[in-house]
Amino acid sequence: MKEIKCECGHVNPLGTVLCESCGKPIEGNQHIDGNDDEKLLNMRYDGTARRSKTYNKSWIDRVWSFFSSVKVGIWLIVLALVASMIGTIFPQEMYIPANAPNRDPAVFYEEQYGIPGLIYFQLGFHNLYSSWWFMVLIALIGISLVICSLDRFVPLFKALRNQKPKKHKSFLSRQRLFSETDFVTDHDMETVKKQLRKRRYKITEENGHILAEKGRFSRWGPYVNHIGLIIILLAAILRSTPLFYMNEYVWVREGDIEVLPETNGEYYIENKDFILETHDENDERFREAITQEGVVASNFQTDVIVYKANRPIPGAEPELEPIAEDSIRMNQPLEFDGYELYQSGYQLNEFSNMTFKIHETTDSDEEALASFTVDLRNPESEFELESGFRVVLDQYYPDYYLDDDGEPASETNFPRNPAFVFLVYPPNSESAEVSFLGIGRNIDATGENEYKIGIQDFEMHDVSGLTFKYDRSLPFFGIGAAIFMIGVIQGMYWQHRRLWIQRKKDGSLLMAAHTNKNWFGLKKDIEIVIENTNVNMVTDQQELEEKVE
Amino acid sequence: MDLLNISSTALYAAFVLYLIATFFFGATIRDKRTDNKKGISAKIAMTLTVLGFLAQLVYFITRWMASGHAPVSNMFEFLTFLGMALVLAFIIIYSYYKLSFLGLFALPIAMIIIAYASMFPTELAPLVPSLQSHWLYIHVTTVALGQGILGISFVVGLMYLIKQIDQTVKSKQRSWLEFVLYLLFVLIGFVVITTTFNAVNYNASFEYQSGTETLVTEYHLPAIAGPNQGTLITEDIMEPWFETPSWFQGGDAGRKFNTVIWSLIAGSVIYLITRLILRKRIGAVIQPLLKNVKADLLDEIEYRSVAIGFPVFTLGGLIFASIWAEIAWGRFWGWDPKEVWALITWFFYAAYLHLRLSRGWHGEKSAWLAVIGFGIIMFNLIVVNLVLAGLHSYA
Ligand code: HEM
């Protein structure tokens, strides 16, 4: 047996619960939608035959049934929800605070949170959202969404297209809203129809059987929104490829020109100036808040020029042609040729260079015998000075501190707090004097040095941290999100309402109604429609059912 | 009078109007008719509610004018706006269902939220660069509106539970319901205790270590829990009983934790006194008020407010949020705790909507879900701000 023929003559596919045409419950299939012991019919998919409920022989059938179950879908959503929660118990690796004593995750979690932290780290929860199993979970949701939607959309679409105004009595009486009226005049019938049309119901009539329907399109809302979600998931896959997404971080010093990464040397950027502004402490409006909370930044800005490199001869020094000159601010990124630059960080007051002088230790006027300048980013290792002095830069700590063992070390590679060990060779001498020098420090290790080095001058600069990226997947996310929104609004803010009216030759009338949501609104509609007629108001049989309990 | 004064007076007026409106909604209880034609007290109550809403609108606009930016940029402003959104959602839902009882429950919840909000610093604060974007207003107002509408589903779900749960026999449901009501008392406790100690200008300063910096924090409630590794500077004042554990993150974790402890204490005391006076569970006291409301109708309103609120929340909390994050930080999603909790909220309500597809989840189960859902929203607002630090930590 492939198909089921109903007594109304309509031939239904195998697995149908309610005849597509007249709605009569098909014997032997009522368990599928759980109508057996219920007074009311389950109208969820209009009793259509769904593949998942009909076939379960081959493994394909079983996989299909598994993923098309809403129960499974909900479980997947709940699992994703719980996993997301777990990821917020401790900070993710990228959010380990910058001022943490040790930012190495292998140390940080245990040090900060003890045993739970250690377990968290060992289970890989510190990178939970990029873990393979989280991805699999999201992918399963995607698969479930597609299969589930297909399983229901196709039969539902067919059934709603095939439906006939003439319905079987048992279909009508087992609707949630139902009424019987003994006698209704032709005039009353006209009133009802007129009112229905006025309320924008579409009326189909067949031998005194009426189907009034509105808002059917809202039934497609969930399928539309699921398509939107699928597009978003696909966009996420695109974004994981370099063709669609690139993200780099560049530090550019004031006055410098740097090549922009991932552009094959095609673009360069110059940092003309970094500007940090703060809110005026004397601003009447904010004075109180600023006194309490301290100074508040009002602007982070980098004035930049972007250059495009022309290389007439391959390998030669490029000619830089300015293509954009602008200020990058927070919330105002700079766009050029499909790339974007964001103001993302800054470092104030790094030292660019320092000029030192040599004088005799005993000279209280500290008269300079020689002087030299160290470029702190690219220090030379040896300086030959005019007066015959030779200075060797033995050690350089750009960001000096004393480590746990009391040894000098550099915390970062940025010249924020430079310190030096210089070997000074006096004129015509082969033996050196050792000098240790830093900001606020000038140490003569032996105490016997004849010459002393002092800081004469220095220059400083700021450094801008810029995010440099393109994200060509954004339009796809946008389209997906828009479709999702259209779908949810379509499904949530409109409802599919149907009214069936059957008037017999003797003037008696049956009326039943169904909606997928907002029963209150449907009842209000019916009240208005039957106003000033003899038709009885429908009773809500679900409510009656409850009262009996 | 300057703008800021007008603004705070208007907010105060709104609060008082909501309070009076609640009493008038209470008066409708004797009104046995559950049809659309309402008695005079319902009309007065609704008029007062709308007036209160308008007053709050005045607060909002004048504060905007005074500061030059939309007042949704710190905890006080956001929570106040959330209260306003809840009232707006109530007005919308009321105009459709005409259910006066809803006002009796929705307005007090809105008032608790507004009172809670005013315990946070209320000075005008300047905007840091990342907040200087029109998307801030668009994102935050839409989120609040969505949460306000979802808040109505919480209110209605709570009404459903109070009405339906049998108070005469001991059950898990009965205890959990009482627990939810107790939590509302904790919020009230927070307001009462904060107001009390503010009135006497209580102040205790601590010095504590945060990473490599030494910071000072001011307690306005006596310190039960001091800051982690903190030392009390103020003299002649109560010493803390213990230290806040180090895994509380974010600025001022100690002070916030201390406030939570005090709220629990004050809330419990008020709750116990109320119980002693009434000699009944709070749920049992309220239950008779809901005699004339149909459970079915409550179930439907609860579901519809989720149906209406879900798209608004998605738009504000995920889509607009992503657009702003893309413009401000160059990444539309960063797995920041606040973002994750918005996602969790979204997953949760998606699960709710799917569960509603099956009949077995209508009624009481779904009412519990509506209550839990709003619990997640409040968790995101309160706990995530206090305990889990992130880009968004407002207060
Ligand atoms: C996070 C992921 C998901 C979201 C946000 C989502 C969203 C929605 C929404 C808003 C509705 C409309 C509900 C209503 O009208 O009351 C819906 C309906 C539905 N969803 Fe999903 N969904 C998701 C995942 C899934 C999954 C994994 C499945 C697969 C089992 C699924 C199956 C369904 C079904 C069967 C419907 C009802 C369709 C109908 O009314 O005809 N959804 N979904």
Side-chain angles (χ1 to χ4, degrees):
Chain A
M1 192 178 78
K2 264 240 140 328
E3 288 149 336
I4 307 164
K5 190 163 176 184
C6 175
E7 65 177 44
C8 72
H10 185 78
V11 179
N12 293 293
L14 197 62
T16 304
V17 183
L18 304 175
C19 170
E20 288 177 339
S21 171
C22 77
K24 180 171 187 275
I26 287 166
E27 229 166 285
N29 281 350
Q30 294 310 300
H31 61 282
I32 296 177
D33 278 346
N35 293 336
D36 292 327
D37 306 321
E38 299 283 335
K39 175 171 172 29
L40 300 183
L41 293 173
N42 184 342
M43 288 289 288
R44 196 58 232 171
Y45 305 99
D46 266 44
T48 53
R50 274 161 287 146
R51 187 189 194 291
S52 61
K53 299 278 181 183
T54 311
Y55 305 96
N56 59 0
K57 291 211 186 65
S58 70
W59 66 271
I60 298 183
D61 295 339
R62 275 192 230 118
V63 170
W64 184 276
S65 299
F66 178 78
F67 281 115
S68 63
S69 151
V70 178
K71 206 160 146 197
V72 170
I74 294 170
W75 269 112
L76 292 172
I77 294 176
V78 170
L79 283 176
L81 184 157
V82 172
S84 306
M85 280 186 182
I86 293 174
T88 63
I89 296 178
F90 298 135
Q92 292 290 296
E93 182 174 358
M94 63 201 154
Y95 288 117
I96 294 179
N99 63 359
N102 191 334
R103 302 192 64 212
D104 178 2
V107 181
F108 173 79
Y109 289 94
E110 192 180 358
E111 199 173 81
Q112 282 288 309
Y113 310 110
I115 300 295
L118 182 66
I119 297 173
Y120 198 80
F121 168 72
Q122 283 175 344
L123 291 176
F125 289 168
H126 63 300
N127 272 321
L128 188 143
Y129 304 110
S130 49
S131 66
W132 63 269
W133 59 269
F134 192 74
M135 304 272 182
V136 168
L137 202 52
I138 302 293
L140 288 178
I141 291 180
I143 294 169
S144 168
L145 219 100
V146 174
I147 294 183
C148 193
S149 300
L150 285 177
D151 189 58
R152 288 142 214 262
F153 173 73
V154 178
L156 183 65
F157 182 81
K158 280 193 196 146
L160 289 182
R161 203 178 45 185
N162 284 338
Q163 59 180 333
K164 292 269 165 9
K166 183 177 176 197
K167 289 286 171 190
H168 195 267
K169 170 145 197 230
S170 65
F171 176 85
L172 297 180
S173 63
R174 289 176 74 185
Q175 292 300 321
R176 181 172 157 183
L177 299 185
F178 176 69
S179 78
E180 283 182 274
T181 313
D182 289 339
F183 184 77
V184 177
T185 63
D186 287 350
H187 180 261
D188 278 357
M189 276 310 282
E190 284 312 310
T191 316
V192 167
K193 277 194 273 182
K194 208 172 85 198
Q195 282 296 330
L196 280 169
R197 283 205 190 87
K198 210 165 141 195
R199 302 197 67 73
R200 296 214 198 83
Y201 279 85
K202 247 183 70 189
I203 294 183
T204 334
E205 235 180 316
E206 186 187 337
N207 313 327
H209 302 281
I210 294 174
L211 163 64
E213 185 180 17
K214 89 174 179 190
R216 189 198 287 181
F217 82 102
S218 83
R219 287 301 278 276
W220 316 134
Y223 308 102
V224 173
N225 88 44
H226 288 165
I227 291 173
L229 290 174
I230 294 295
I231 295 176
I232 290 173
L233 291 180
L234 293 178
I237 295 176
L238 291 183
R239 193 171 186 265
S240 65
T241 64
L243 186 61
F244 280 88
Y245 180 66
M246 179 278 289
N247 189 337
E248 293 284 334
Y249 199 88
V250 280
W251 286 104
V252 196
R253 291 172 185 82
E254 278 171 340
D256 273 14
I257 298 182
E258 297 273 352
V259 64
L260 284 168
E262 301 287 325
T263 62
N264 294 321
E266 204 183 335
Y267 294 98
Y268 284 72
I269 184 165
E270 175 177 356
N271 177 353
K272 288 201 304 179
D273 193 10
F274 173 77
I275 301 166
L276 185 153
E277 286 164 320
T278 54
H279 284 281
D280 181 3
E281 285 160 64
N282 300 318
D283 187 332
E284 198 68 39
R285 298 172 298 171
F286 305 131
R287 193 182 300 152
E288 208 175 329
I290 293 177
T291 353
Q292 286 197 0
E293 302 291 327
V295 191
V296 179
S298 66
N299 185 25
F300 304 128
Q301 171 179 339
T302 309
D303 294 340
V304 299
I305 305 176
V306 176
Y307 298 96
K308 189 165 178 161
N310 289 319
R311 285 192 181 74
I313 311 157
E317 274 292 296
E319 291 165 21
L320 297 183
E321 178 204 339
I323 53 167
E325 175 160 7
D326 208 344
S327 304
I328 304 175
R329 293 196 189 96
M330 194 97 203
N331 278 309
Q332 288 173 33
L334 168 65
E335 279 184 58
F336 66 93
D337 294 1
Y339 294 97
E340 282 166 323
L341 281 160
Y342 289 78
Q343 179 66 51
S344 300
Y346 62 89
Q347 177 65 51
L348 295 181
N349 303 331
E350 276 186 17
F351 291 89
S352 320
N353 57 49
M354 273 188 172
T355 305
F356 302 93
K357 63 178 177 186
I358 303 177
H359 60 89
E360 286 175 13
T361 312
T362 51
D363 179 2
S364 56
D365 293 339
E366 304 192 349
E367 190 192 331
L369 302 175
S371 69
F372 61 99
T373 299
V374 181
D375 178 349
L376 294 183
R377 273 181 275 147
N378 240 331
E380 294 165 61
S381 58
E382 211 175 302
F383 303 84
E384 298 277 358
L385 309 180
E386 317 92 65
S387 43
F389 281 94
R390 188 162 69 92
V391 177
V392 172
L393 176 55
D394 186 48
Q395 296 288 342
Y396 168 42
Y397 310 99
D399 194 2
Y400 168 81
Y401 79 116
L402 280 179
D403 69 11
D404 293 342
D405 306 328
E407 299 285 330
S410 188
E411 211 165 355
T412 66
N413 287 326
F414 306 110
R416 294 174 191 162
N417 181 22
F420 314 83
V421 176
F422 287 117
L423 305 179
V424 181
Y425 292 87
N428 309 319
S429 165
E430 279 309 306
S431 62
E433 295 181 356
V434 183
S435 270
F436 177 85
L437 200 67
I439 295 167
R441 295 178 191 81
N442 198 335
I443 299 166
D444 167 3
T446 57
E448 294 168 359
N449 285 355
E450 258 181 72
Y451 300 97
K452 194 170 174 181
I453 300 185
I455 299 172
Q456 195 172 33
D457 199 5
F458 57 81
E459 282 176 31
M460 301 187 95
H461 60 251
D462 300 332
V463 193
S464 288
L466 301 172
T467 298
F468 178 56
K469 65 174 272 253
Y470 58 73
D471 190 345
R472 297 168 189 152
S473 68
L474 285 181
F476 298 95
F477 280 103
I479 292 168
I483 292 179
F484 178 81
M485 280 313 297
I486 292 172
V488 268
I489 289 176
Q490 174 181 349
M492 297 295 187
Y493 294 178
W494 279 269
Q495 299 93 32
H496 181 212
R497 298 177 183 174
R498 276 178 293 173
L499 228 80
W500 296 276
I501 303 174
Q502 263 183 32
R503 186 153 164 263
K504 301 254 171 56
K505 297 250 157 40
D506 61 3
S508 68
L509 181 135
L510 301 181
M511 180 155 82
H514 177 77
T515 179
N516 60 337
K517 48 176 66 103
N518 190 5
W519 295 84
F520 183 83
L522 178 58
K523 283 187 220 167
K524 271 215 289 205
D525 268 2
I526 297 175
E527 270 170 16
I528 295 172
V529 163
I530 62 173
E531 214 170 309
N532 303 323
T533 71
N534 212 9
V535 180
N536 286 336
M537 181 59 193
V538 290
T539 36
D540 191 332
Q541 308 199 73
Q542 180 167 301
E543 257 174 37
L544 287 180
E545 222 176 311
E546 261 177 36
K547 293 252 165 66
V548 176
E549 279 178 34
Chain B
M1 213 160 57
D2 68 357
L3 281 173
L4 205 53
N5 273 331
I6 299 179
S7 176
S8 46
T9 311
L11 184 60
Y12 189 71
F15 190 88
V16 174
L17 283 164
Y18 294 152
L19 187 66
I20 306 175
T22 308
F23 287 118
F24 278 95
F25 277 122
T28 62
I29 287 199
R30 270 177 285 125
D31 201 340
K32 290 272 184 326
R33 291 174 299 182
T34 39
D35 56 31
N36 297 352
K37 293 166 223 75
K38 283 292 167 195
I40 184 83
S41 44
K43 281 201 186 108
I44 298 175
M46 212 46 215
T47 313
L48 288 170
T49 308
V50 173
L51 284 177
F53 180 75
L54 292 177
Q56 213 174 343
L57 216 53
V58 170
Y59 144 82
F60 188 79
I61 293 168
T62 46
R63 192 172 168 95
W64 189 330
M65 286 158 66
S67 70
H69 59 257
V72 286
S73 67
N74 62 26
M75 198 71 173
F76 161 69
E77 293 173 343
F78 179 76
L79 282 170
T80 312
F81 191 78
L82 178 61
M84 188 163 139
L86 194 72
V87 174
L88 178 64
F90 161 67
I91 294 175
I92 294 170
I93 302 267
Y94 180 88
S95 63
Y96 194 76
Y97 289 101
K98 301 278 192 296
L99 185 69
S100 314
F101 300 94
L102 190 53
L104 188 57
F105 290 81
L107 288 185
I109 301 280
M111 282 173 354
I112 291 179
I113 292 178
I114 295 170
Y116 180 70
S118 10
M119 298 302 121
F120 291 87
T122 56
E123 304 92 40
L124 293 182
L127 290 184
V128 297
S130 63
L131 296 185
Q132 294 167 13
S133 164
H134 291 303
W135 285 103
L136 166 71
Y137 316 150
I138 299 171
H139 156 61
V140 178
T141 50
T142 322
V143 172
L145 189 62
Q147 292 178 338
I149 302 171
L150 294 171
I152 294 293
S153 80
F154 159 75
V155 173
V156 182
L158 195 60
M159 288 167 74
Y160 186 96
L161 295 174
I162 296 175
K163 178 180 166 60
Q164 292 296 83
I165 288 175
D166 191 346
Q167 291 285 347
T168 56
V169 288
K170 191 168 156 52
S171 67
K172 253 192 300 190
Q173 284 90 328
R174 194 180 74 170
S175 314
W176 278 111
L177 174 63
E178 199 60 15
F179 177 71
V180 172
L181 295 170
Y182 162 76
L183 287 182
L184 294 176
F185 276 85
V186 173
L187 282 181
I188 298 173
F190 170 78
V191 173
V192 169
I193 202 76
T194 314
T195 316
T196 313
F197 280 100
N198 275 355
V200 299
N201 250 328
Y202 188 91
N203 199 350
S205 303
F206 285 89
E207 236 176 40
Y208 69 103
Q209 209 55 34
S210 162
T212 47
E213 296 159 88
T214 304
L215 300 176
V216 175
T217 180
E218 315 256 319
Y219 276 49
H220 300 295
L221 294 171
I224 295 174
N228 191 257
Q229 301 182 354
T231 38
L232 186 61
I233 316 175
T234 315
E235 289 174 358
D236 292 333
I237 217 154
M238 190 178 102
E239 286 280 346
W241 300 358
F242 58 88
E243 272 188 7
T244 305
S246 61
W247 45 268
F248 277 84
Q249 303 161 37
D252 262 352
R255 193 187 65 196
K256 291 166 180 171
F257 181 54
N258 189 53
T259 308
V260 171
I261 298 176
W262 269 108
S263 312
L264 285 171
I265 296 175
S268 306
V269 170
I270 301 175
Y271 176 80
L272 286 175
I273 294 177
T274 317
R275 281 289 296 266
L276 275 176
I277 297 175
L278 296 171
R279 304 198 161 271
K280 265 189 196 168
R281 254 167 266 96
I282 309 295
V285 175
I286 310 177
Q287 192 172 42
L289 304 184
L290 290 163
K291 207 169 57 215
N292 291 330
V293 195
K294 283 193 211 142
D296 232 32
L297 182 61
L298 289 178
D299 181 61
E300 185 169 329
I301 299 178
E302 167 215 307
Y303 171 57
R304 278 216 88 202
S305 23
V306 176
I308 297 171
F310 180 76
V312 180
F313 178 79
T314 310
L315 192 65
L318 297 173
I319 298 179
F320 289 160
S322 301
I323 294 175
W324 179 30
E326 178 67 28
I327 294 171
W329 293 290
R331 64 177 192 46
F332 59 86
W333 191 261
W335 298 107
D336 167 83
K338 194 96 186 186
E339 288 172 5
V340 176
W341 276 91
L343 182 72
I344 291 170
T345 311
W346 186 71
F347 275 148
F348 183 87
Y349 282 106
Y352 172 98
L353 289 171
H354 287 95
L355 284 170
R356 287 286 307 203
L357 295 176
S358 81
R359 232 189 272 164
W361 278 83
H362 292 204
E364 191 177 320
K365 280 188 196 163
S366 118
W368 279 115
L369 291 180
V371 169
I372 296 170
F374 197 64
I376 295 179
I377 290 177
M378 288 322 265
F379 183 88
N380 197 2
L381 258 177
I382 300 173
V383 183
V384 174
N385 272 338
L386 300 190
V387 182
L388 313 168
L391 296 170
H392 289 73
S393 36
Y394 261 153

